[in-house]
Amino acid sequence: MQSKDNTPRIIIAIDGYSSSGKSSMAKSLAKSLGYNYVDTGAMYRAVTLYAMRHGMIATDGTVNADAIAAALPDIAIAFERTPDGSQHTLLNGEDVENAIRHMEVSNNVSPVAAIPAVRHNLVEKQQAFGMEKGIVMDGRDIGTTVFPDAELKIFVDASAQTRAQRRVKELVEKGIPASYEEVLANVVHRDHIDETRTESPLRRAADAINLDNSEMTIEQQNQWLLDRYHEAISKLNA
Ligand code: DC
C-alpha cells in the first residue's frame, strides 16, 4: 500500500522495557508520518482492568488464568482519538485511559500478559490493526512475534532508574500519586516477568536497531527515529 505521494507505507515496530519512553516516541512518529498508532501495553492493561473488576485477580495478586481466558470473547478493546489529538483506550466502549495507568493495574499486568490465551487473542487483534500498513506499534514482542517482517524495528532501552524517574513524572502530571521507590520496584519486577515468561518474552529482534535514550532529549529521540524511518524507506526504494 502506498501514500498519495507514492511513498510506501510501512510497519514500524517499537519494542522495549517498561517506561523507556517508547510510547511517546511512537506516538510522535505516527503523528509526523500520518500513521496509525497502537499502544499494545494499553491492550494488556485493559484486559487486566477487566479481570480486576470481575474478581479474577485476588488481592494477593493471584491470577485466575482460566477465568480470564474464558472472558476474552467479552472483552472489546478499541482506541479513540480525542478532540485534543491524544488517543484513549476503550474497554467495552468505556474510556479507561486513566484507570489503566494506575499502580494497581501496573502491579497486576505482567502475570496477565504472561497468560498464553491472552497473548494469542491480543496478538491476533494487533495483526489485524496492521493489515493496511502505515502503522507504528509499540510493545514488547512486536518485532519478534506480532510483525516479524516489519520494515523497521527499534528496540528501546534506558536504565531502570531513568525509566522510574520518567514514570513518576508522567504519573504526577496525570494527577496519579506515585512514589519513586514503589515505581522503581515495579519497573524492575515487571522487567523480570516480561523477560522470563515462556510465551513471547521481551526480547530484542535480531534485526532491530538499538536505541539507548537515557541521555537523549525528546526532540533528539524524535529526530533519531525520523532518520531511521527515512533510511528504511530508502532501502525499500533501492
Ligand atoms: O508498556 P506498558 O508498561 O504499558 O505495558 C504493560 C504490560 O504489558 C507490561 O508489563 C508488559 C506487557 N506487554 C506485553 O507483554 N506485550 C506487549 N506487546 C505490550 C505490553
Side-chain angles (χ1 to χ4, degrees), residues 44 48 108-116 118-119 122 194 197 199-200:
Y44 288 96
T48 304
N108 287 314
V109 64
S110 281
V112 173
I115 301 170
V118 170
R119 300 209 70 83
L122 294 188
D194 294 345
R197 67 169 173 245
E199 188 77 25
S200 46

Side-chain angles (χ1 to χ4, degrees), residues 145-188:
T145 303
V146 182
F147 295 120
D149 296 327
E151 290 85 352
L152 177 59
K153 298 180 187 178
I154 309 289
F155 192 85
V156 193
D157 197 4
S159 70
Q161 288 74 12
T162 303
R163 291 185 282 127
Q165 274 161 7
R166 288 185 186 148
R167 186 99 192 114
V168 169
K169 191 165 167 268
E170 246 171 57
L171 289 168
V172 169
E173 276 167 10
K174 285 188 179 169
I176 302 171
S179 86
Y180 171 74
E181 286 71 26
E182 191 187 355
V183 171
L184 178 62
N186 176 261
V187 161
V188 172

Side-chain angles (χ1 to χ4, degrees), residues 18 22 39-42 44-45 101 109-110 113 119 139-142 190 194 197:
S18 63
K22 57 186 185 327
D39 173 357
T40 61
Y44 288 96
R45 287 171 179 272
R101 308 291 165 193
V109 64
S110 281
R119 300 209 70 83
R140 304 291 190 287
D141 59 341
I142 312 306
R190 275 204 287 156
D194 294 345
R197 67 169 173 245

Side-chain angles (χ1 to χ4, degrees), residues 40-41 43-48 50-51 56-57 63-73 75 77 108-126 141 197 199-200:
T40 61
M43 299 171 77
Y44 288 96
R45 287 171 179 272
V47 172
T48 304
Y50 182 97
M56 297 166 186
I57 302 179
V63 165
N64 185 340
D66 290 341
I68 297 174
L72 288 168
I75 303 177
I77 300 167
N108 287 314
V109 64
S110 281
V112 173
I115 301 170
V118 170
R119 300 209 70 83
H120 293 160
N121 180 278
L122 294 188
V123 166
E124 224 168 73
K125 287 181 176 145
Q126 291 153 11
D141 59 341
R197 67 169 173 245
E199 188 77 25
S200 46

